[in-house]
């Protein structure tokens, strides 16, 4: 019996959609822990071209009695409240935050697509809420860190920095998937 190559079948499967699926969602940085939940910022590559910034909140549902650590929702990102931002909306958030004093920020960005993000600040914290018509709402509070006589909103500023990184990548309309090879993501599509 002669040896037959399986390359034909392999090429046929790849051409018919049986091959490896192209990754489209990449988490930017690490998950950000805040009071009440975890925030994840990612970038999504649309099949139609272009990139979008996705912000998702996974709510804390209780505490582990043995360790006191937070226990969070065990849902896929597709089931969680999230907001999809185009480049202009992401830039508007970053610039809007920079133009406001975080100790009394009270701002809303409405995407006009069934979701909005709200920012409410005080001297010691900034509350971030996502409201969606399809998946409900979720909120977290970023506590400020006292440094001498001032409060530094480090966690909130890290969150804003990830949004800024996302819009910079989306603005260039180019991603290097190798840059995200070490980042884990819960699923391929965040919504």
């Amino acid at each position: 019996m002669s040896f037959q190559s399986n390359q034909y079948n392999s090429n046929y499967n790849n051409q018919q959609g049986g091959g490896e699926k192209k990754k489209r969602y990449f988490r930017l940085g690490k998950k950000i822990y805040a009071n009440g939940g975890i925030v994840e910022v990612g970038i999504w590559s649309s099949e139609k071209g272009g990139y979008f910034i996705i912000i998702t909140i996974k709510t804390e549902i209780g505490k582990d009695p043995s360790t006191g650590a937070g226990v969070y929702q065990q849902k896929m990102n597709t089931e969680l409240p999230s907001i999809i931002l185009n480049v202009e909306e992401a830039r508007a958030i970053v610039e809007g935050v920079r133009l406001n004093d975080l100790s009394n920020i009270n701002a809303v960005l409405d995407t006009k697509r069934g979701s909005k993000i709200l920012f409410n600040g005080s001297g010691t914290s900034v509350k971030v809420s996502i409201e969606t018509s399809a998946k409900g709402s979720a909120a977290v509070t970023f506590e400020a860190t006292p440094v001498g006589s001032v409060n530094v909103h480090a966690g909130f500023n890290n969150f804003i920095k990830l949004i800024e990184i996302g819009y910079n990548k989306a603005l260039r309309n180019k991603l290097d998937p190798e840059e995200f090879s070490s980042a884990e993501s819960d699923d391929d599509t965040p919504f």
Side-chain angles (χ1 to χ4, degrees), residues 76-173:
M76 299 292 285
N77 283 355
T78 55
E79 301 168 343
L80 297 169
S82 61
I83 187 166
I84 302 167
L85 305 170
N86 62 30
V87 177
E88 291 78 16
E89 292 162 339
R91 177 82 183 239
I93 287 174
V94 172
E95 297 298 328
V97 165
R98 286 184 180 151
L99 294 172
N100 279 280
D101 175 14
L102 294 183
S103 63
N104 59 18
I105 190 170
N106 187 9
V108 177
L109 183 129
D110 188 343
T111 66
K112 309 283 192 261
R113 295 183 305 275
S115 60
K116 57 177 122 177
I117 187 165
L118 302 88
F119 303 94
N120 293 300
S122 70
T124 58
S125 65
V126 177
K127 181 178 180 182
V128 176
S129 306
I130 293 176
E131 296 178 359
T132 69
S133 58
K135 298 174 195 158
S137 62
V140 295
T141 302
F142 291 96
E143 298 293 333
T145 305
V147 180
S149 62
V150 297
N151 285 321
V152 178
H153 294 277
F156 179 75
N157 285 324
N158 287 342
F159 166 62
I160 295 301
K161 184 64 176 179
L162 290 178
I163 295 171
E164 184 177 17
I165 290 168
Y167 90 68
N168 280 327
K169 293 186 177 305
L171 187 63
R172 287 185 273 139
N173 207 29

Side-chain angles (χ1 to χ4, degrees), residues 27-34 38-41 58 77 162 184-186:
R27 190 170 71 217
L28 297 170
K30 63 183 189 87
K31 294 177 181 179
I32 303 172
Y33 289 83
I38 300 171
V39 180
E40 183 177 305
V41 180
K58 189 177 280 192
N77 283 355
L162 290 178
E184 60 188 68
S185 63
D186 292 336

